[in-house]
Amino acid sequence: MTEPSHSPSYRFFARWAAFSYRNAALVILVALLVASLCAVYTSRNLGVHTDTTEMLSEELPFRANDIRYMAEFPQHNDTMLLVVDAPTPEQVNSAAKQLTEALKQDTNNFLDAYYLSGDPFLERNGLLFKSIPELGYITDQLSAAQPLIARIAGDPTLYTFATILTEAIEELRSGRKLELAPILNGVSATLDARLAGVPRALSWQTLFSGEKQENTYQELILVKPNLDYSQLFSAQQPIAAIRDAAQQIGMTDNAPEKLRITGEAALAYDELNSAMLGAQEAGMLALVMVAVVLFFALRTAGAILAVLLSLVLGIILTATFAAFAVGHLNLISIAFAVLYIGLGVDYAIHFLLRHQELKGTNLTVLNALHATGGDIGRALTVCAITTAIGFYAFIPTAYQGVAELGIISGTGMLISLIVTLTIVPALQRYLPIRKRKLPTSSGRIGRRLLDLPIRLRKLVYVATLLALIVAIVALPKAKFDYNLLNLNDPQAESVQTFQELLADEKDSAWHSVVLADNQQEAKQIAARLEKLQEVDKVISIFDLVPAEQAEKLDFINEMALTLGPVVFLDSSLSADTHTIIEQHAALEELNNLLTQFIVEQPDHQTAASVRALNTALTGLLTHLKTINSNGGNNESQFLDAISQDLLGLLPDALERLQVALEATPFTQQELPESISSHWYSQNGVYQIAVYPTDNIGDNDALRNFVRAVQQAAPQATGVPVISLEAGEAVVDAFIHAFSLAFVGVILALLVLLRNFVDTLLVMTPLLLAALFTGAATVLLDIPFNFANIIALPLLLGIGIDCSIHMVHRYRNAATVSENLLHTSTTRAIYYSALTTLAGFGSLAFSPHQGTASMGLLLAVGVVLTLICVLVILPALLYPLSQRRT
C-alpha cells in the first residue's frame, strides 16, 4: 500500500483538499445552497412506509399466500381489535353494541365495525350453538326462576326481591328441593362488592344459564379504520375517534365498562410511536455524549462544529438521494441515519486528527491540509468504496427493506467521502483545529499502556485462539426472535392487551388461515388439520351451522312456553310505594330467616350459600344503621343503589333471552352476509381458521405450530406463518448479503490495495469481530430480531474502515519505528468508535425493545471491533514490521 508522495492519487487528493481551503467561502456558500434545495426536495418527496410485511419480496411463497388472502378478505387487513371489559355479560354486550353503532356512523374514520357476538342473527339463534345437555339445564333453571321473574317484573323493587327470597328460603326449610345456590351466591357477592366500595351488578344472564359469575367479561369488536398513509402516524386519528366515541356512550374512567385498543393497526401505531419517542430521547442523550467524545478527541470547539456541520450536510444529501432513488424510507432503511452518523463521523475525525498531527510538524495550514488530503484521501476512498460494496451486496436479497437500506447507505458512504474531502478542509479556514500538545507524564503512562499489545503479543495470540474456539462453539446456538410483539414497548396498551389475548387458551389472537377453492377441499383440509396435536381447533363456515337443530328447538320452545310473555314495569313507577322502613324490615326478615335456617340445617347442601348471604346481609344492615345514625338522605340513596345492583340488569337479560327464544332452523345459505363474508368470499373461496394448542408467543411453539399446519396445508398464511417465514427470509437475506459483501469486499481490497497480505490483514479483525459478536448474542442472551439485525451492516462498515486505516498507516509508516498505537490513526479509530458507542449505545434505553436491543448489540459489537483492531491487529502487524525492518 506504500506509494510515493508524488503519486497521481496523492496529488489528486492533496489538490482537492487545498482547493477547498483556498476557496472556502465559495465552497461553503455552494454547500449551503445545495443543502437548502435538497432539504426542500426531501421534505416534499420522501415518505415513510411502516408496513414491515411490504419490505419482503412478493415472490416469496408466504407473501403470495398472504396477498391472496388479503385480496379475498380485504376486511381483515390493517384492522384494529377493540377489547371491551365489564363485570357482567349484560354490561359488556350493551357497551360493545353501542360502541359498534357509534363507529359505524363515523364513516370518515372507519370503513366498517363488526361485533360478531352482537350480530342480530346470532343473538336470535345463539341458543342453537349450545349443547343439548346445556339447553336442558337452562330449561330447568328458567322453569325454577319463572315465578320469581314474573313477580319481580310486576314490582321490580328491593322490597319485592327480598320478600321473594324470604319465601324461597321458607320453602327450602320446609323440605322442598330448590336450586337456590346460584342466586344466593350472586346476591351475596353483589352486596359484598357494594359494601367494599367496588360495586358490581348481579348478572341475571349467568343465573339463567347456571354459570358462576366471573369477575370480568370480555367482547371483541373488529374495526376497519380509514388509515391516512400520507401521515406518519396513519392510525392516530381513528384511535382518537374510538376514544371519543367511547366517552360519548359513557365509557369513562369511572365506568364499569373498560375499553382497550389493540390489533394490527394499533400495534403498528404504538410501535412507531415508541420507536420515535425512543429515538428522540436517545438522540438528545447521544448528542451530549458524542459532543463530549468529540471534545476529548479534537479539543477544539471549532473542529467539533466542523464535524457536526459536515455530518448534517451528508445526512441531508443522503436523504435527498433516498427520496430520488427510492422515494420512501421503511422501518429498516430509516436506519441509514444511524449508519451515516456512525461512519460519517469517522471520516471527518480521521481527516482532522491526521491534519492536527501534520500541523505539529510546523507545516502551514495549507501545506498541512495538502499533505493530509494526499496522505489520508486514498485510505478514506478505499474505506468508502469497500463499505459501499458491502452495503450494495444487500440489494439482490429478497428482503426489500434491507435492499433499500443497502442502496441508500452504500451511496451515503460515497457522499460522506465527498463531503469530508470538500467541506472539512474548507471549514478549517474558519474553524481550525489546534495543534496537539506534547504528552504529559500521565500521557506517558498511557503510551506505555499502548505498548502492552506488542509486549504481550504471545498472550494476545493465546487469548484470541481461546476466544475463537468459544465463539465457534457458541455461534451455532445464536437465535432469531420471530415474535413481532417483542420488538414493541411492553408497557404499551396494545401490546399488553394482545399478549393477554395471545395467552387465551380458548381463542388465541394469533391463528393461521388456510384458503380453499371449494367446499370439498375446505372440508378435507379441516379434517387433516383437526388431527394435528399442535392444533387446538379448526373453524370454518361449516361450524356456523349447528347440528341437531330440531332437537334443540324443542328445548327452546319449551323455554318460551315456560317464560311466557313478561312485561317489565318501570322500577321508577314503584320506587316510592315501599318506604325505607318497609325495605329495611324486609331485609331484616330475610336475614333472620337465613340465621334460623343455618341453625336448623347446618349440613344442608345450600348451607354454604345461605351463610354467605347471611354474612353479607348482616354487613348491609350494620352499614345502614351507621348511615341512619349520621342522618340525611344517604340511607335511601344506598338502598336505591343496592336495588339497582341487584335488579338493574334483569330487564336487559330478559330482553336478550326473549330474542334468543325466537330461534329458527337455518342452513349455510341462510347465513347473513355480515357473517358469511368473513368466511366465504365473493369469489367462492373458503377461509379456515386454525388455532394453536400452545401459546405461540414462544418461538419454539410458534415454529412447531406453523410447520405442522404447513405440512397439512402448504398454502397457510396468517400472522404466525408470516412472522416465522419473514424471520427466516430475513436471516436468509442477511446470510446471502453478507456472503456477497464478503466476496465483494475481498475483491475490492485486492484491486485497491493490490496486495494479498494487506487484504488478509484487513479482513482478519473483521472476521474475528463478526464471530465474537455472534457468540456474544448467545452468551448475553440477546437474540437477533427484525430490528437489531440491521446493526450488522454498521459493524461491518466500522470493521472495514478501522482495519483499512490501521493497515494503511502500517504500510506508510513502515520505515518508522514508532508503535502504530501511538499515532493519530489509532486515536481517530478509538474516538470514532467511541462516538458510535456513545451515540448508538444510548438506543439501549429506548422503550422500543427492538431499538433497545439494536443499541445493546451495537455497543457490544463496537467494543469487540475495537479490541480486534487495536489489540489483536497490532499484535499481528508487529512481527511483519520487524521482518520488513
Side-chain angles (χ1 to χ4, degrees), residues 555-867:
F555 282 98
I556 295 173
N557 292 332
E558 183 180 345
M559 289 185 218
L561 290 173
T562 300
L563 182 63
V566 178
V567 179
F568 221 91
L569 181 67
D570 189 346
S571 58
S572 63
L573 299 179
S574 58
D576 298 329
T577 59
H578 304 290
T579 64
I580 293 177
I581 296 176
E582 290 175 329
Q583 296 179 68
H584 202 285
L587 293 172
E588 286 275 11
E589 183 181 359
L590 173 59
N591 196 40
N592 292 335
L593 189 60
L594 292 172
T595 304
Q596 187 177 353
F597 182 90
I598 294 170
V599 173
E600 294 174 351
Q601 304 184 47
D603 298 325
H604 193 279
Q605 62 179 6
T606 317
S609 301
V610 172
R611 287 191 187 92
L613 182 55
N614 181 229
T615 302
L617 276 173
T618 301
L620 172 61
L621 292 170
T622 301
H623 185 73
L624 289 173
K625 289 178 181 178
T626 303
I627 294 176
N628 190 38
S629 63
N630 295 331
N633 196 35
N634 293 335
E635 184 177 6
S636 175
Q637 293 176 356
F638 195 81
L639 287 172
D640 289 343
I642 291 290
S643 179
Q644 183 64 26
D645 288 346
L646 293 173
L647 303 174
L649 299 181
L650 180 56
D652 184 57
L654 281 175
E655 182 181 351
R656 294 187 66 195
L657 179 60
Q658 288 175 324
V659 170
L661 295 179
E662 298 173 1
T664 56
F666 63 91
T667 63
Q668 178 185 324
Q669 289 70 29
E670 293 174 306
L671 287 170
E673 186 181 357
S674 60
I675 297 176
S676 63
S677 62
H678 289 269
W679 301 94
Y680 184 70
S681 74
Q682 294 180 347
N683 297 323
V685 176
Y686 290 84
Q687 178 188 168
I688 305 168
V690 189
Y691 290 83
T693 302
D694 300 320
N695 182 353
I696 56 176
D698 176 75
N699 283 314
D700 292 333
L702 173 67
R703 178 182 292 276
N704 294 337
F705 171 69
V706 171
R707 292 303 178 226
V709 171
Q710 286 180 324
Q711 189 171 4
Q715 71 273 35
T717 185
V719 174
V721 176
I722 293 173
S723 296
L724 180 65
E725 293 291 358
E728 297 199 340
V730 169
V731 173
D732 291 342
F734 270 88
I735 291 175
H736 182 205
F738 273 97
S739 299
L740 290 176
F742 181 73
V743 174
V745 167
I746 289 178
L747 292 176
L749 289 173
L750 288 172
V751 171
L752 295 171
L753 303 182
R754 289 169 289 181
N755 188 306
F756 177 76
V757 174
D758 286 357
T759 300
L760 185 61
L761 288 171
V762 169
M763 294 302 297
T764 297
L766 179 63
L767 293 175
L768 289 175
L771 286 172
F772 294 159
T773 302
T777 64
V778 177
L779 300 176
L780 299 177
D781 192 24
I782 310 173
F784 289 109
N785 55 48
F786 291 93
N788 68 18
I789 201 166
I790 67 173
L792 298 180
L794 176 57
L795 295 174
L796 172 70
I798 292 174
I800 292 174
D801 288 2
C802 293
S803 296
I804 288 175
H805 284 298
M806 284 296 286
V807 173
H808 173 267
R809 186 60 183 256
Y810 156 72
R811 285 302 183 190
N812 282 278
T815 58
V816 181
S817 60
E818 184 182 19
N819 185 342
L820 275 177
L821 295 176
H822 297 168
T823 65
S824 64
T825 300
T826 298
R827 294 202 314 277
I829 290 172
Y830 173 73
Y831 285 118
S832 296
L834 213 57
T835 56
T836 302
L837 184 62
F840 307 121
S842 61
L843 294 174
F845 301 102
S846 171
H848 185 266
Q849 295 302 292
T851 303
S853 67
M854 181 177 70
L856 184 58
L857 184 59
L858 271 171
V860 172
V862 168
V863 170
L864 292 173
T865 300
L866 268 181
I867 292 173

Side-chain angles (χ1 to χ4, degrees), residues 352-361 809 823-824 827:
L352 286 173
L353 288 183
R354 181 57 176 153
H355 174 55
Q356 184 186 52
E357 187 177 41
L358 290 173
K359 282 179 70 175
T361 61
R809 186 60 183 256
T823 65
S824 64
R827 294 202 314 277

Side-chain angles (χ1 to χ4, degrees), residues 134-317:
E134 287 176 322
L135 290 174
Y137 184 81
I138 295 173
T139 302
D140 294 339
Q141 289 290 108
L142 195 58
S143 177
Q146 196 280 333
L148 181 147
I149 295 171
R151 288 185 59 184
I152 293 179
D155 185 16
T157 61
L158 179 60
Y159 173 85
T160 302
F161 187 49
T163 302
I164 294 171
L165 285 182
T166 302
E167 295 172 358
I169 297 297
E170 191 65 61
E171 291 195 26
L172 200 64
R173 282 182 62 210
S174 65
R176 183 178 175 183
K177 292 184 178 181
L178 296 174
E179 185 61 39
L180 293 180
I183 190 168
L184 297 181
N185 290 332
V187 172
S188 61
T190 302
L191 295 179
D192 288 339
R194 171 59 67 175
L195 292 172
V198 284
R200 185 187 70 167
L202 175 63
S203 171
W204 289 86
Q205 182 176 323
T206 58
L207 291 179
F208 293 157
S209 62
E211 301 172 354
K212 178 183 176 182
Q213 185 170 345
E214 304 292 341
N215 292 326
T216 304
Y217 291 84
Q218 191 173 91
E219 291 291 350
L220 304 178
I221 304 172
L222 186 66
V223 175
K224 178 76 172 175
N226 186 13
L227 300 177
D228 183 4
Y229 287 106
S230 64
Q231 301 295 322
L232 180 61
F233 295 98
S234 57
Q236 185 173 22
Q237 180 57 36
I239 288 177
I242 292 172
R243 301 285 186 198
D244 290 342
Q247 288 280 336
Q248 291 174 9
I249 65 171
M251 295 181 69
T252 60
D253 293 338
N254 298 324
E257 301 86 359
K258 304 299 180 185
L259 170 68
R260 291 176 292 167
I261 304 175
T262 186
E264 182 182 353
L267 286 167
Y269 169 78
D270 278 339
E271 179 173 13
L272 186 58
N273 190 38
S274 64
M276 296 290 286
L277 177 63
Q280 291 173 5
E281 294 176 348
M284 297 299 295
L285 178 61
L287 183 62
V288 174
M289 295 176 68
V290 168
V292 171
V293 173
L294 288 176
F295 172 77
F296 282 104
L298 305 175
R299 304 282 181 169
T300 307
I304 295 173
L305 185 57
V307 171
L308 296 178
L309 289 174
S310 65
L311 191 62
V312 171
L313 176 60
I315 290 177
I316 292 174
L317 295 178

